[in-house]
Structure formats: C-alpha cells, structure tokens
Amino acid sequence: MTHLPAEIPPLAEVFDTIRVVSIPTRTRFRGITVREAAIFDAPRGPSEFSPFTEYADPESAQWLAAALDFGWCEQPAPLRDRIDVNATVPAVAPEEVAGILARFPGCRTAKVKVAERGQSLAEDVARVREVRVLMGPTARIRVDANTGWSVHDAVAALTALAQFDLDYAEQPCATVPELVEVRQQLAAAGVPVRIAADESVRKATDPLAVARAGAADLIIVKAQPLGGVSRALEIVREAGLPVVVSSALDTSVGIAMGAQLAASLPDGTLAGACGLGTVALLDGDVTETSLIPAQGSIPVGRPVLSPLLLDRYAASPERTAWWRERVARCHALLAAHG
C-alpha cells in the first residue's frame, strides 16, 4: 500500500529544486561502485530520492513519498540530538577490514556483510573473525545477509558465526516463513543468534507481517523505503519490536532523514547503534558538512547543501534525464493514489 506524504507538491515545483548526482564509492558495495541520487533543495530543507536503480516504480514511489514528506512537510520533534552509529563492513577480504573500520572512528558496533554472491562461508567467517580481533571482545558485531541464504545455509552459517558473539543476524533469508524457520531451528540447536528483519519490512506490502508471525527479534527500519519519518514511526509503534534505524548508502541528505527518524523514536525503542554512518563509504558528498561518524555518532539536523559539491558530482545529462523521468513516473503514481 502506497503511503502518501501530507503534501504532494506539483511536479513542476519538484523539478525546480532537483539536482542529480553521481558519487563514487570507496569500496564496492551491493555490487555498485557509483551511487546516484536525486537531491531536492526543498522548502523545509534538503531532501533525497535515491532508490537503487533496479527498483521498479511502485516500490520507488515510496522513496519519493519520503523525499517529498521530508522536503515539504513538518517533521516530528526530535527527542535527542546525536545518534550512535555502527561501522559498516562490506564483503571485503580480511586484510581490507582495518582500513574500513578506520573510517568509523569511535564506533563500538560493526555490521558485516555476509552471503555475498560468489563468496564462501569460509570467507564470511574470516571477515567476521578479523572484525572481532580488531574491535575487541566488548564490541557488538552484527551480520547482514541481505536475503542471501536458504534456511539450511542460514542455520549452518549462523551456527559457524555464533562463535563471534553476534548481536544479531539481519535478513538471513528472503521470506517471513523462512525467517520463522531459521529462528526455530537456531533455538532448538541452542545457537544464541537473534534475527533482525530488514527487507521483510521495507520491501513488503505488509511491513507488520514479520511482527505478527514472530519472525524476528527486532526490525530494521529505513525512512526512505517506508515512505518517510512519520510513516516509519507508525510502523514501529504497531510492530512493538526493538528497532535499529538504517540507511541505503545515502548522501548526508538522506542520512539526515534517517537521523530524524532515529531521534524521534520513543525512549527505549532503539536496539543499539544505527546504520547511519555509511557516508563514510562514499568518496564524496553534497553538503557543506558531511554526516560521517565522530566519536561513534552523528548529529541530528539538516546539513546545508554545497553548490560546489553538487556541481562536482553532477550526473551526466543522460543520467539526469533518466532520474527526472523516474521522478515524474513515481510522482504520477503518488498523485493517482491521492
């Protein structure tokens, strides 16, 4: 079901504010080496529309709803002014882990990508082991499989990875019934690994199905895919599970939206550091001050757009046209639902 922002500005007004950027990543991440995004210099402050390019229009329209909501509508009042964030370790070789962690100063939690296509469980174990060695016994370590395992493979992998005292495993399998089965098999085997749901919340027609099915111990929420800060807060309230707020390799503008969400959650809801430090994985940004981790956290607030950086990372005319057409299609979908 499409969630609509409180206000849908006319497409012409949206186009008056848009800049499309193309920013290299420091490390290959989710198979990409360049991150594209549409940035809006909107009335209430900068906003971002950046669904990955393979996402279809109905799903991407939710991301546009979030961008319009954040850029044109009043936001909930924040309850805190800084958000603790985790380091994010892509599916790199162990010898590259130290360099990745160095980009996240002060972070005492790390999320490690596993189940990368073409890699083995042995490579996952070696990567997670290196993170544990470098961060020490008191750090929290999470793994994220991005739906990459079957139930059998998830149980085998998490049994092997449990030796590193995992905080939780994020989306080990694709479907809600599979998550239920993984939780049950791990519990029966006495493997103490909690399950977190991400794609089963943000890519689902019913984001509350996970909670009703008992498929996860906590949920990952992202402001853009869920239609904005206010809608994400509604889902958190209805799910009744602990929450980690995360992002999708956004610029500092999109990260600010995620930080607004994390800052607006009721006390006691957050289940540890949030996945909002990923600007550190980009080799550029669009704001005067980047929301990169300092002493393990980022500030809450809207960063100021940098005209110089918007020009430096401007997408090609062809890619700009592609994004403008995408915005127009998604705007039409939102307007039709309105």
Side-chain angles (χ1 to χ4, degrees):
M1 181 177 180
T2 302
H3 175 73
L4 299 176
E7 177 182 349
I8 302 177
L11 182 60
E13 181 179 339
V14 175
F15 276 167
D16 282 343
T17 73
I18 193 171
R19 294 290 300 272
V20 180
V21 295
S22 178
I23 301 174
T25 62
R26 293 175 180 268
T27 305
R28 188 177 182 86
F29 188 88
R30 287 185 84 262
I32 65 174
T33 56
V34 174
R35 184 68 166 116
E36 295 181 334
I39 306 297
F40 305 113
D41 190 3
R44 291 187 177 270
S47 194
E48 176 172 334
F49 170 66
S50 54
F52 291 103
T53 55
E54 69 270 21
Y55 288 5
D57 289 348
E59 181 178 357
S60 299
Q62 285 286 88
W63 296 60
L64 184 61
L68 300 182
D69 180 79
F70 195 57
W72 275 263
C73 303
E74 185 175 356
Q75 299 299 298
L79 304 177
R80 45 196 72 86
D81 60 9
R82 291 194 73 87
I83 302 299
D84 289 340
V85 298
N86 61 240
T88 299
V89 181
V92 297
E95 58 268 23
E96 297 178 60
V97 168
I100 299 290
L101 293 177
R103 301 174 197 161
F104 298 88
C107 292
R108 297 300 301 148
T109 301
K111 182 170 82 170
V112 186
K113 293 291 185 177
V114 293
E116 184 88 349
R117 184 172 296 180
Q119 292 190 2
S120 66
L121 175 57
E123 289 172 288
D124 289 340
V125 170
R127 183 181 314 114
V128 176
R129 175 181 286 114
E130 185 68 9
V131 173
R132 174 56 77 199
V133 168
L134 292 172
M135 294 190 72
T138 61
R140 288 188 180 189
I141 296 180
R142 306 158 172 173
V143 295
D144 182 5
N146 287 120
T147 75
W149 288 320
S150 65
V151 170
H152 176 271
D153 289 345
V155 172
L158 295 178
T159 300
L161 292 166
Q163 63 181 299
F164 303 113
D165 188 23
L166 299 182
D167 185 22
Y168 58 75
E170 186 173 324
Q171 201 70 43
C173 303
T175 70
V176 170
E178 286 174 323
L179 294 181
V180 172
E181 182 67 19
V182 169
R183 283 190 81 207
Q184 291 174 344
Q185 290 195 28
L186 290 175
V191 179
V193 176
R194 298 189 299 167
I195 300 299
D198 175 13
E199 283 88 347
S200 289
V201 176
R202 65 179 169 88
K203 295 176 79 73
T205 54
D206 180 4
L208 297 173
V210 164
R212 283 198 301 272
D217 299 279
L218 64 153
I219 58 173
I220 311 299
V221 293
K222 299 178 179 179
Q224 279 205 73
L226 293 176
V229 172
S230 295
R231 175 55 180 151
L233 288 172
E234 292 174 11
I235 290 170
V236 169
R237 281 194 295 268
E238 294 175 36
L241 291 172
V243 172
V244 169
V245 178
S246 193
S247 59
L249 203 60
D250 305 350
T251 75
S252 285
V253 174
I255 293 295
M257 190 193 305
Q260 173 74 40
L261 170 57
S264 303
L265 288 167
D267 288 340
T269 306
L270 280 174
C274 292
L276 297 172
T278 51
V279 174
L281 299 177
L282 297 177
D283 197 21
D285 203 358
V286 297
T287 57
E288 298 285 357
T289 303
S290 288
L291 293 182
I292 55 176
Q295 297 180 324
S297 66
I298 61 170
V300 176
R302 290 183 184 268
V304 176
L305 290 176
S306 165
L308 178 67
L309 294 175
L310 287 168
D311 288 344
R312 179 181 300 170
Y313 296 109
S316 70
E318 293 78 15
R319 295 307 298 164
T320 295
W322 186 91
W323 276 90
R324 287 173 65 92
E325 291 166 5
R326 190 185 202 190
V327 168
R329 295 193 308 270
C330 291
H331 187 278
L333 288 175
L334 295 178
H337 280 89

